[in-house]
Amino acid sequence: MRTPFIAGNWKMHKNSAETAKLIGEIKKLTANVSGVDIAVAPPFTSLASAKIALGSSSIGLCAQNVHWEEKGAFTGEISPQMLLDAACGWAIIGHSERRQYFGETDETVNKRFRSALSAGLGAIVCVGETLEEREADKTSGVVERQLDGAFQDTKDSNLEKVIVAYEPVWAIGTGRTATAEQAQEVHGLIRANLALRLGEKVSSATRILYGGSVKPGNAAKLLALPDVDGALVGGASLLAEDFSAIIRASVKNE
Ligand code: PGA
């Protein structure tokens, strides 16, 4: 009942020409795939090239971050309105690399999230624990605290445009993936938390993506889990063949 969603987070990779090339390849390899929503998140400087390369394709364009103000003296930031103008339908918010390296907090995640939703931008909100937190048995507490922070005062927002991504920090870019059991456990917890917060109807309609070293070889198993509705893919989204294989794996499990 939930259409799978596969998003490629390109991080700080691909200039304009490389973006056009990669999108061309992804379009070709996914031309006859249906029943899945696909999005790519190139760096800001490649959004214009991505828009042209996507043309009339149904692949969505996603930003890797978004600021909460519409405009103003915020050097280095991009507003939701600017992203809409650049043809983005989505923004990733609170990625662990932003939290770890750039001082993102639950409070700034909440501001970005609310502002994206009120501008009509879809939001992929990331949560996930570090290895230290997992080993100290703090995973559920950390994920719940991050959800509390992100979702504060969003009850009346445009919640059909919300996606939650569970990305255990220890699995990102490390080649280590959560086991099916670990992923399902946290995804189930996120869905239950959303149900308490926003009601059963919204919770059961919300897509929860897994992220962290998703590859063609492990995608089918993860995507078959009852509460895993797609993937946020980093490294493997930079290779058209791998990204397309993950997309196809999501459909087979429909
Ligand atoms: P990875 O990145 O697939 O390279 O682990 C995932 C992410 O950071 O979204």
Side-chain angles (χ1 to χ4, degrees):
M1 94 194 133
R2 292 182 292 266
T3 306
F5 191 105
I6 307 290
N9 174 11
W10 294 6
K11 309 191 179 182
M12 202 168 71
H13 294 283
K14 305 291 175 188
N15 64 22
S16 312
E18 291 162 346
T19 292
K21 182 166 176 279
L22 180 53
I23 287 178
E25 291 166 0
I26 294 169
K27 275 168 65 174
K28 210 182 283 171
L29 290 169
T30 58
N32 47 23
V33 180
S34 60
V36 49
D37 293 332
I38 307 168
V40 291
F44 291 127
T45 49
S46 292
L47 289 174
S49 151
K51 178 186 172 190
I52 296 168
L54 285 169
S56 59
S57 158
S58 62
I59 298 174
L61 196 52
C62 180
Q64 296 178 18
N65 195 10
V66 57
H67 194 253
W68 51 87
E69 294 288 347
E70 185 173 343
K71 58 185 161 191
F74 301 102
T75 302
E77 293 291 329
I78 314 270
S79 73
Q81 292 73 15
M82 288 167 178
L83 293 178
L84 290 167
D85 181 54
C88 287
W90 297 93
I92 297 171
I93 297 176
H95 189 278
S96 69
E97 285 151 18
R98 302 290 324 161
R99 295 181 193 256
Q100 260 185 307
Y101 308 138
F102 302 102
E104 192 80 70
T105 63
D106 291 337
E107 194 194 342
T108 53
V109 168
N110 177 251
K111 285 178 158 185
R112 295 182 201 281
F113 185 34
R114 282 169 35 209
S115 146
L117 292 180
S118 69
L121 204 56
I124 304 176
V125 181
C126 304
V127 297
E129 81 289 359
T130 62
L131 185 57
E132 207 180 24
E133 289 162 343
R134 172 161 285 270
E135 285 174 345
D137 232 355
K138 290 187 179 152
T139 299
S140 55
V142 168
V143 168
E144 272 163 2
R145 189 208 73 219
Q146 290 170 334
L147 291 172
D148 275 347
F151 279 87
Q152 203 172 343
D153 300 327
T154 57
K155 217 170 167 40
D156 302 319
S157 309
N158 221 349
L159 293 169
E160 70 278 8
K161 293 224 174 147
V162 172
I163 289 182
V164 176
Y166 169 55
E167 298 208 305
V169 178
W170 48 271
I172 297 178
T174 58
R176 279 184 72 178
T177 326
T179 62
E181 199 179 35
Q182 288 170 326
Q184 175 53 35
E185 188 187 0
V186 182
H187 279 241
L189 178 148
I190 293 171
R191 194 165 317 278
N193 182 288
L194 294 180
L196 283 179
R197 190 182 300 285
L198 309 165
E200 283 290 339
K201 198 163 159 238
V202 175
S203 165
S204 62
T206 302
R207 289 176 286 190
I208 306 175
L209 315 185
Y210 170 80
S213 299
V214 177
K215 309 282 176 208
N218 59 26
K221 195 168 175 198
L222 289 160
L223 292 165
L225 297 168
D227 287 300
V228 175
D229 308 310
L232 182 53
V233 186
S237 73
L238 298 171
L239 300 166
E241 299 251 331
D242 285 4
F243 189 53
S244 314
I246 294 168
I247 291 166
R248 283 195 299 275
S250 78
V251 182
K252 271 192 227 125
N253 286 292
E254 269 289 86

